[in-house]
Amino acid sequence: SASRAVFRLTYSDPSFQFAARKVLFPQALPRGSQHPALSVGEFLPYFSFLKRFYAFPNVCLRRQYFVKSQTPDYRQALSLIDLMLREQPKNGSLTRMKQLLRGVGATTVGSRLPTFTAYDTRGRLVSSTTLAAAPVAVINVWASWNYDSQDIQRRLQSLQRRSGGRLFVLGLSLDAGKSDCKDALRRDSITYANVCSGEMLEDKTVTKLGLTAIPDNIVLKNGRIVARSLRADELEKKVKELLGLK
């Protein structure tokens, strides 16, 4: 059974974390795995054993097991995190993961954008209300040190210019310093709103929206999320489709 498989793993086994992942999260593994998943109830009796491995929750609850899964189960993920936090209440990584998963779960395709407000690099207020009012909107996570995300920035700038005012773009910069962010915006002639708090992935807006990587993005049509976490070509194609551009 899954429980016996977990207990067969020894403290000294260097493959402990990988094997435990195979037992607990087979949906994250390639097809062909024969290991059943444990429910939250089944997991509970064995947590006192597993909790000795501090890295275990950080490894097993990384975003690819739920966000990247073909059938993500955010409620299950949050239940497991709550279980772990009862045993490790001072584990900051788990606390941050819980906040992040709440954001990801609230921004799935088909959902309305969660309410938020922020100030851009020019001191102007931007909010979820503004994005919801636009026919098409994109939230883009980028940084001056990440080429792929800057490529998306430039593509979005071009699309916005062609949109006739129908596309609203909000950039969320993960730069640690506002000067780096502003220099990159000036160099690429980016004119749409960009937020840079200097808090990187700890930024409250990034966390609330469940944006977990760089680059990352959310696409909206009439205030409803229609896609997220698209690659550059996929994002450009999707936005053109929504705007009716060739």
Side-chain angles (χ1 to χ4, degrees):
S1 70
S3 59
R4 287 195 293 273
V6 171
F7 272 102
R8 279 201 297 270
L9 301 168
T10 64
Y11 293 152
S12 60
D13 187 352
S15 64
F16 170 81
Q17 292 178 356
F18 176 73
R21 291 202 300 271
K22 290 177 67 176
V23 173
L24 296 172
F25 304 106
Q27 70 272 21
L29 300 173
R31 291 183 179 181
S33 173
Q34 301 299 314
H35 296 274
L38 290 178
S39 68
V40 174
E42 291 172 322
F43 183 79
L44 182 59
Y46 313 116
F47 185 71
S48 60
F49 170 77
L50 297 172
K51 73 177 183 180
R52 301 184 190 187
F53 296 85
Y54 177 80
F56 178 80
N58 296 325
V59 172
C60 289
L61 291 175
R62 284 168 56 188
R63 69 188 181 93
Q64 60 260 41
Y65 300 113
F66 298 98
V67 181
K68 294 283 188 177
S69 167
Q70 291 183 352
T71 56
D73 189 339
Y74 304 114
R75 184 175 299 178
Q76 176 88 335
L78 287 169
S79 296
L80 289 173
I81 289 178
D82 285 337
L83 177 65
M84 293 175 177
L85 280 171
R86 286 203 294 269
E87 299 291 339
Q88 299 183 29
K90 296 182 180 180
N91 189 323
S93 296
L94 284 175
T95 300
R96 288 190 294 273
M97 181 65 74
K98 181 176 181 178
Q99 294 172 342
L100 181 61
L101 281 174
R102 279 179 173 170
V104 174
T107 54
T108 55
V109 172
S111 302
R112 292 282 181 182
L113 198 64
T115 302
F116 73 88
T117 58
Y119 287 93
D120 71 6
T121 54
R122 300 178 184 178
R124 301 173 301 188
L125 181 69
V126 292
S127 70
S128 53
T129 302
T130 307
L131 279 87
V136 180
V138 177
I139 300 172
N140 179 53
V141 177
W142 70 284
S144 64
W145 40 264
N146 182 274
Y147 175 81
D148 291 340
S149 68
Q150 290 183 80
D151 176 43
I152 291 176
Q153 281 272 86
R154 291 186 284 268
R155 295 192 195 201
L156 289 173
Q157 179 69 51
S158 176
L159 288 169
Q160 188 185 53
R161 287 172 178 163
R162 297 174 57 195
S163 72
R166 293 176 295 146
L167 173 62
F168 184 90
V169 182
L170 173 62
L172 299 178
S173 171
L174 298 190
D175 281 299
K178 293 184 180 181
S179 60
D180 292 332
C181 169
K182 290 181 178 180
D183 287 345
L185 294 175
R186 186 165 43 251
R187 181 188 65 236
D188 291 334
S189 301
I190 303 298
T191 58
Y192 53 77
N194 270 271
V195 173
C196 181
S197 67
E199 297 178 352
M200 306 178 76
L201 280 171
E202 300 297 318
D203 177 79
K204 64 178 182 179
T205 303
V206 170
T207 301
K208 188 167 188 177
L209 298 179
L211 295 162
T212 62
I214 179 168
D216 206 350
N217 49 74
I218 294 175
V219 183
L220 302 104
K221 179 180 180 181
N222 297 323
R224 193 172 293 277
I225 298 171
V226 295
R228 60 169 298 151
S229 302
L230 300 179
R231 295 178 180 177
D233 290 341
E234 296 171 332
L235 178 60
E236 184 173 10
K237 181 180 178 180
K238 184 66 176 180
V239 173
K240 284 182 176 179
E241 175 190 312
L242 294 173
L243 294 171
L245 299 175
K246 294 182 179 180

